[in-house]
Amino acid sequence: MVNPNLNKDDSISLWQLFAILENSILGTGLLNIAKTVSKVSGQDAWISTLLAGFIIIPFLWCYSSLSRRFPGHTLVDYSTRIIGKLLGNMVNISYILFEILIAALVLRIMADFISTWFLPNTPIESLLIITLFLVIYMSQGGIRTVARTSEVILFLVVPFIILLIPPATRIEINNLKPVLQSGYVNIIKGSIPALYSFYGFEVLFIASAFISDTKKIFRTSAMCISINVVFYTLVVIAIIGVMGTEILKYINYPTIYYIKSERFPFFERVDLFFAFFWTFNIFMTIGIAFYSAALSMSQLLNLKPKYGRNIGWMLAIAVYFIAKIPKNSIEVARYMLYISYMGIVVAMLIPLILAVTAAIRHIGIKDDDKA
Amino acid sequence: MKRYVIGLAVMLALSLTLTGCWDAKQLQDMYMSYGIGIDTAEGQSNMVTVTLTAPTLTEGAKEQLQILSSQGHSIDEAINDMQAKSHQIISVAHDRVLVIGEQAAKNGISEYLDTFVRNPSIRNDMYVTVAKGKAEELLNIQLKQDPFIALYLTQLLEKNRRLSKVPLVTVVDLFGKMVDKDSDPVLPYVEVTEGRDGLIARGIAVFADDKYKGNLLNDGAVVFMMMSNKAKSVNLTYKSFKSTENDDVYSTVNIHGISNDIKCRLNGDKLSIDMKIKGDADLIEHKVTRPLSESDIGREEQALERELINDMNDVMRKLQKEYRSDPLGLCRCVKIEYPDYYDSIDWKSIYPDVDVNISAEININRIGTSS
């Protein structure tokens, strides 16, 4: 791990930031969003999804404000400067913990997913270990490697989103009615599991330190989130429209079932095709969360680059054992909900508090673009 | 020279790691079933008889098909039991069609469906159909034109779906309807010919909840498909306006662009449902006595509409009064339009007595190349 203080070799472009964000957000969320959200808000799940997305966008401004005040610095650099050593370190640790938990949980979901659909005879441990080796390798390469991989995988995976379109021709509008029937409370409650699908944007704490054009961070990240909001909402509408809400209570990975419900010419088992390529995306989610945790950890402990590079091995052990805690997919769903709640604090409240405090105490470079 | 030898040895050794077929299964070792049949076991209502049919892959075998049948408390138990009767590995991963025997369907099919949705190795886009009599008997017949009965049956269903004579229902669709309390499932209904050498796709098997109640055959099935908005194109033969009391004259039309508009109305406490079916028709066959005039077309349309309305009333009467089944999802219509009213009633008890007003508007647009 190298010192993230901005130098020419270690900067990334806005487009790369977009790719990192997109890869960090897209992942296991898509596979289960219709199930987890409609469990709470029924046929109005799409409204919950929309709501969850738009709640996030104002918080992106906090990230961008922080990165403008502290260009070239990550969370660990500025949190102690803004709110003091004790509170700052608590923030840092909770952020690292959050990223480790995300990496572990997503890793576990991916391993479950792969072992259910493709490799039923492979022990889950070997899937975990192989993936972790790759993740460590990627995170050792630093931000440039992460950004490059993100770009490549984005180009690789996005075409497969087209596969989501043909089954949508069979949407029955009655499945989505009556609108707003599940009550406002349930719709708002439903946006909490929906938030899980959007987590990943907290990588801005790290990634925005490598951007030289800090003014455009908000624009890029807001665009990225908006695209995802629209995408997820459409997916939820399509899945509920085609399959109805009742069956979603019973099946796991409804998105795969949804793709499966259409017979394509020439292709057989398109679901597996999609699932296979989607695992790349899931891998990137793990990789980026892991990289964020490893980088923050080495900064927090003030490690020399020589040791910083190897902190990943330590974290990997933690991630491995956390990933093995849930017994089955029902427990995994419970942990996903916990993560959603934790994310509200880590990914939304912490940047808000930091940005507001920094503004009040005039810490960092003064905001000069008041336009 | 020595370097080349070492290099060659290393390459040869490495090539050993590339052999991917160490756990390959020979085709001859597999019992690859293409169709699966389910019956209630004779005399034991809690036992299920499972029948599998697979092509014999051994050269020189006397029979081209190998049919296995076994009993168990669950489907998987029965399949496991079958292994004792076969020297090959039994695989149900390639099943294309699930045939449910009449008695099993009457007892309720929800208990059988679970494994088809839960087990990821089973194709859950396989078709489901109800057989007259026993599924075991249907899978055991000898077809003269095609030895592979399961594939033949799949094709039969697909081809008849084109003319909307049967619905095409996959396991997941069926499971969805089964868990959805608002609408009842329908399945295709297949019967063995009297000579036991052919299959006939006869029409539709109607279910109430998960229990098979009765059939809609021939025109009834076609009209039902039109009413449920599942028909793309149908051929209907009806009594032409030229019929007299002692001489019936028939005409045939192809109807396309079919839509059925279902609306419910609440007058005070009285619920009534309006159905209006619309479509464009091509005249295909028409007994010529004189050239068709403009007014003839109008009268032909009237005759067609009259017959269509009669048929639809007939179908509705059967669904409401005889089978007490709601496969058209009228329940959901009421739920969407009048949620408060819906909460105050017991749909199951009022459904048979709901007034359904049916109207039809068919335009004969094309009359072919003669008039």
Side-chain angles (χ1 to χ4, degrees), chain A residues 14-24 147 150-152 154 220 224 284 288:
Chain A
L14 280 168
W15 156 246
Q16 283 175 325
L17 176 73
F18 180 87
I20 290 179
L21 265 178
E22 195 67 58
N23 269 295
S24 171
S150 295
E151 272 182 279
V152 171
L154 195 61
T220 309
C224 178
M284 277 315 288
I288 292 168

Side-chain angles (χ1 to χ4, degrees), chain A residues 26-317:
Chain A
L26 286 180
T28 51
L30 180 82
L31 300 175
N32 255 332
I33 184 168
K35 181 188 171 85
T36 51
V37 183
S38 74
K39 203 169 157 187
V40 187
S41 50
Q43 73 279 7
D44 291 329
W46 63 276
I47 305 177
S48 300
T49 314
L50 207 61
L51 192 69
F54 285 119
I55 290 171
I56 292 170
I57 289 179
F59 290 97
L60 296 176
W61 196 86
C62 304
Y63 286 100
S64 116
S65 149
L66 283 170
S67 68
R68 264 180 299 173
R69 278 181 185 279
F70 307 98
H73 291 275
T74 64
L75 173 75
V76 177
D77 296 328
Y78 53 67
S79 65
T80 45
R81 279 176 64 192
I82 297 173
I83 52 173
K85 203 139 203 178
L86 181 71
L87 284 175
N89 278 329
M90 275 168 65
V91 163
N92 296 342
I93 288 169
S94 59
Y95 176 72
I96 293 169
L97 198 66
F98 180 68
E99 291 292 11
I100 290 176
L101 288 178
I102 285 251
L105 195 66
V106 175
L107 179 65
R108 173 54 189 265
I109 295 171
M110 179 173 112
D112 273 351
F113 178 67
I114 293 177
S115 78
T116 312
W117 291 89
F118 318 117
L119 306 170
N121 298 328
T122 310
I124 202 162
E125 289 79 7
S126 62
L127 294 174
L128 295 176
I129 291 169
I130 290 169
T131 316
L132 275 175
F133 269 117
L134 261 180
V135 164
I136 295 167
Y137 180 64
M138 188 174 76
S139 74
Q140 283 183 337
I143 191 76
R144 292 283 287 254
T145 313
V146 174
R148 274 283 179 212
T149 323
S150 295
E151 272 182 279
V152 171
I153 288 185
L154 195 61
F155 280 124
L156 184 71
V157 170
V158 162
F160 286 91
I161 288 172
I162 295 169
L163 290 178
L164 292 165
I165 298 169
T169 50
R170 298 188 297 123
I171 290 179
E172 280 177 38
I173 215 78
N174 271 359
N175 282 337
L176 292 159
K177 287 183 190 171
V179 180
L180 291 178
Q181 258 299 299
S182 34
Y184 294 105
V185 179
N186 279 335
I187 290 176
I188 293 166
K189 264 191 194 162
S191 63
I192 291 170
L195 277 177
Y196 172 83
S197 310
F198 290 105
Y199 287 140
F201 62 88
E202 72 283 348
V203 73
L204 279 172
F205 272 140
I206 305 293
S208 54
F210 300 99
I211 299 287
S212 46
D213 194 357
T214 49
K215 283 176 197 164
K216 286 185 180 153
I217 289 175
F218 176 70
R219 215 176 66 184
T220 309
S221 56
M223 195 170 77
C224 178
I225 293 277
S226 310
I227 290 173
N228 276 298
V229 173
V230 173
F231 174 57
Y232 279 145
T233 308
L234 289 179
V235 167
V236 172
I237 289 176
I239 292 177
I240 294 179
V242 170
M243 298 167 68
T245 50
E246 285 301 315
I247 193 174
L248 296 183
K249 292 176 187 157
Y250 294 87
I251 56 174
N252 293 332
Y253 314 117
T255 311
I256 302 294
Y257 278 91
Y258 162 79
I259 293 174
K260 221 173 174 174
S261 70
E262 184 76 21
R263 293 191 172 211
F264 291 81
F266 313 119
F267 290 118
E268 282 267 312
R269 310 275 325 229
V270 184
D271 49 321
L272 293 187
F273 204 52
F274 179 83
F276 175 72
F277 279 94
W278 202 253
T279 49
F280 286 111
N281 240 335
I282 303 177
F283 165 76
M284 277 315 288
T285 308
I286 304 166
I288 292 168
F290 189 86
Y291 168 74
S292 310
L295 180 64
S296 305
M297 193 75 155
S298 68
Q299 284 183 301
L300 185 69
L301 301 176
N302 220 348
L303 294 176
K304 283 180 191 148
K306 195 171 85 182
Y307 303 111
R309 273 175 72 89
N310 294 324
I311 193 85
W313 296 96
M314 300 292 170
L315 287 181
I317 293 168

Side-chain angles (χ1 to χ4, degrees), chain B residues 1-59:
Chain B
M1 183 64 197
K2 203 176 164 190
R3 258 173 61 194
Y4 286 115
V5 172
I6 292 173
L8 201 67
V10 168
M11 270 154 93
L12 280 176
L14 280 178
S15 72
L16 286 178
T17 64
L18 297 174
T19 52
C21 299
W22 57 276
D23 64 344
K25 292 172 192 155
Q26 292 299 315
L27 213 50
Q28 286 86 343
D29 295 339
M30 299 289 291
Y31 178 88
M32 274 196 291
S33 125
Y34 279 94
I36 178 165
I38 289 173
D39 289 300
T40 309
E42 204 98 15
Q44 293 161 292
S45 60
N46 61 344
M47 294 274 274
V48 52
T49 306
V50 178
T51 312
L52 294 179
T53 163
T56 336
L57 296 165
T58 320
E59 262 179 52

Side-chain angles (χ1 to χ4, degrees), chain A residues 2-12 144 209-210:
Chain A
V2 276
N3 190 5
N5 287 347
L6 189 65
N7 58 45
K8 269 276 169 289
D9 288 341
D10 250 346
S11 67
I12 56 175
R144 292 283 287 254
F210 300 99

Side-chain angles (χ1 to χ4, degrees), chain B residues 59-72:
Chain B
E59 262 179 52
K62 271 189 186 160
E63 296 276 338
Q64 279 181 298
L65 272 187
Q66 193 187 355
I67 291 158
L68 292 177
S69 194
S70 239
Q71 296 187 348

Side-chain angles (χ1 to χ4, degrees), chain B residues 263-267 270-272 332-345:
Chain B
K263 282 207 172 75
C264 46
R265 269 185 301 142
L266 192 62
N267 260 339
K270 189 145 173 50
L271 182 74
S272 63
R332 182 163 273 269
C333 265
V334 178
K335 211 177 184 175
I336 292 167
E337 290 290 324
Y338 304 105
D340 297 333
Y341 171 75
Y342 181 82
D343 288 338
S344 72
I345 53 156

